[in-house]
């Protein structure tokens, strides 16, 4: 084949990829990322994003960064106040099959926009003095607001039986976050059992502010417990290290986990 023909085919291929990714919605990206995690973890998420036409997406996964464990779990006793019997939470990711996933990629060849997706696979239920379904969990991205501006609202998704939504009230300007409502129990052959496994994801777009250098973005997840149905998140902040939740007096944090991505790898010129 002539050199000119090879060049022509190469150009067509490049244009085809650009057309496939141009205007790719956060909904499509989040759906692919979410399903990929359920299907095959980081490899599944990466394959699904590539199927959308995204070239070389970064997908990281781990379960051993910045984990804060809650007080000792209980097997039989009620708590001192007698208000709650031992119930279930998702176990500390360092000692379970739970895992955090963080992905990033360039948006449509832009020199100032990146898309970040965060996923949490919640597995391995453990007994504890508190109810994981009485207070929402939080998922999101912490960032430096002086460097980055979020573009629109994120897409938030939870696997079957659970639910998730974008959260804007009482959220700091250094966090893009959603809340995840965990279903309490489910039945197997007519018998109630512990918390169902869950997967939650959030996808958002960030634009580098004029004249700024792309600083680190942090994807993270916070798992909570409560001693009563009035347990709630009071506020969410972000910044370096990911999102952090403020809780009312009925709730407490079980654990949190975070990981970073370096957007300089995705933006031309850096």
């Amino acid at each position: 084949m002539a050199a000119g023909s090879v060049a022509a085919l190469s150009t067509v291929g490049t244009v085809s990829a650009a057309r496939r990714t141009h205007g790719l919605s956060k909904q499509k990206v989040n759906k692919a990322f979410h399903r990929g995690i359920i299907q095959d973890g980081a490899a599944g998420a990466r394959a699904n994003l590539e199927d959308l036409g995204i070239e070389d997406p970064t997908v990281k996964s781990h379960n051993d960064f910045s984990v804060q464990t809650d007080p000792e779990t209980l097997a039989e006793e009620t708590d001192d106040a007698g208000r709650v019997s031992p119930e279930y939470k998702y176990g500390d990711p360092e000692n379970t099959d739970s895992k955090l996933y963080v992905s990033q990629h360039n948006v449509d060849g832009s020199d100032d926009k990146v898309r970040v997706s965060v996923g949490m696979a919640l597995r391995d239920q453990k007994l504890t003095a508190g109810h994981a379904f009485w207070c929402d969990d939080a998922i999101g991205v912490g960032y430096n607001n002086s460097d980055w501006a979020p573009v629109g609202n994120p897409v938030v998704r939870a696997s079957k039986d659970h639910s998730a939504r974008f959260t804007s009230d009482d959220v700091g300007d250094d966090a893009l976050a959603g809340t995840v409502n965990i279903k309490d129990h489910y039945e197997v052959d007519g018998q109630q059992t512990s918390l169902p496994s869950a997967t939650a994801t959030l996808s958002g777009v960030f634009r580098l502010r004029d004249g700024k250098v792309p600083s680190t973005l942090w994807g993270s997840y916070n798992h909570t417990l409560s001693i009563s149905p009035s347990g709630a998140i009071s506020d969410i902040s972000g910044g370096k290290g990911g999102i952090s939740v403020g809780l009312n007096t009925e709730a407490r944090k079980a654990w949190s986990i975070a990981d970073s991505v370096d957007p300089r790898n995705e933006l031309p010129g850096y």
Side-chain angles (χ1 to χ4, degrees):
M1 183 180 291
S5 298
V6 174
L9 287 175
S10 176
T11 301
V12 169
T14 302
V15 171
S16 176
R19 284 175 179 168
R20 288 183 64 191
T21 58
H22 180 69
L24 194 60
S25 70
K26 283 177 277 193
Q27 287 82 358
K28 285 185 178 180
V29 170
N30 182 264
K31 186 175 182 179
F33 180 71
H34 186 94
R35 286 185 172 180
I37 289 173
I38 294 173
Q39 292 163 351
D40 192 21
R46 186 178 299 107
N48 281 7
L49 294 174
E50 289 175 343
D51 285 345
L52 293 178
I54 298 168
E55 295 185 1
D56 299 323
T58 297
V59 182
K60 303 167 63 180
S61 65
H62 76 98
N63 63 348
D64 59 359
F65 182 91
S66 189
V67 178
Q68 300 173 350
T69 56
D70 67 334
E72 183 179 356
T73 57
L74 303 180
E76 298 179 357
E77 301 84 1
T78 58
D79 72 342
D80 292 340
R83 288 174 292 184
V84 60
S85 298
E87 262 295 347
Y88 290 98
K89 69 178 179 73
Y90 293 104
D92 178 338
E94 284 188 322
N95 302 307
T96 71
D97 291 331
S98 294
K99 190 169 290 186
L100 178 76
Y101 299 85
V102 183
S103 171
Q104 71 166 348
H105 57 265
N106 183 275
V107 177
D108 300 333
S110 168
D111 60 1
D112 64 352
K113 292 188 184 72
V114 293
R115 183 181 285 111
V116 177
S117 295
V118 185
M120 188 71 215
L122 295 161
R123 307 289 186 265
D124 298 324
Q125 306 79 22
K126 305 294 182 183
L127 284 172
T128 186
H131 299 268
F133 51 85
W134 271 348
C135 183
D136 286 346
D137 285 357
I139 186 170
V141 180
Y143 60 95
N144 185 335
N145 184 59
S146 297
D147 298 332
W148 296 101
V151 179
N153 295 335
V155 174
V156 189
R157 190 183 306 266
S159 53
K160 183 181 178 182
D161 296 327
H162 311 281
S163 61
R165 65 181 180 87
F166 166 54
T167 301
S168 58
D169 296 338
D170 299 316
V171 178
D173 61 6
D174 55 0
L176 192 66
T179 51
V180 182
N181 181 261
I182 301 298
K183 179 179 170 64
D184 53 357
H185 292 82
Y186 70 126
E187 291 188 355
V188 175
D189 297 329
Q191 299 295 315
Q192 281 195 342
T193 186
S194 59
L195 295 171
S197 294
T199 298
T201 53
L202 175 147
S203 296
V205 172
F206 296 85
R207 178 184 61 80
L208 185 65
R209 296 186 187 276
D210 293 344
K212 297 296 184 176
V213 175
S215 53
T216 303
L217 298 168
W218 294 80
S220 61
Y221 193 90
N222 283 252
H223 185 40
T224 71
L225 302 172
S226 179
I227 60 174
S228 82
S230 60
I233 294 173
S234 58
D235 61 86
I236 300 176
S237 58
K240 183 178 180 180
I243 62 171
S244 181
V245 296
L247 302 168
N248 68 10
T249 56
E250 300 298 300
R252 73 176 188 269
K253 182 162 61 178
W255 48 260
S256 64
I257 186 169
D259 201 1
S260 63
V261 290
D262 185 354
R264 292 176 299 178
N265 297 332
E266 303 296 331
L267 299 181
Y270 291 98

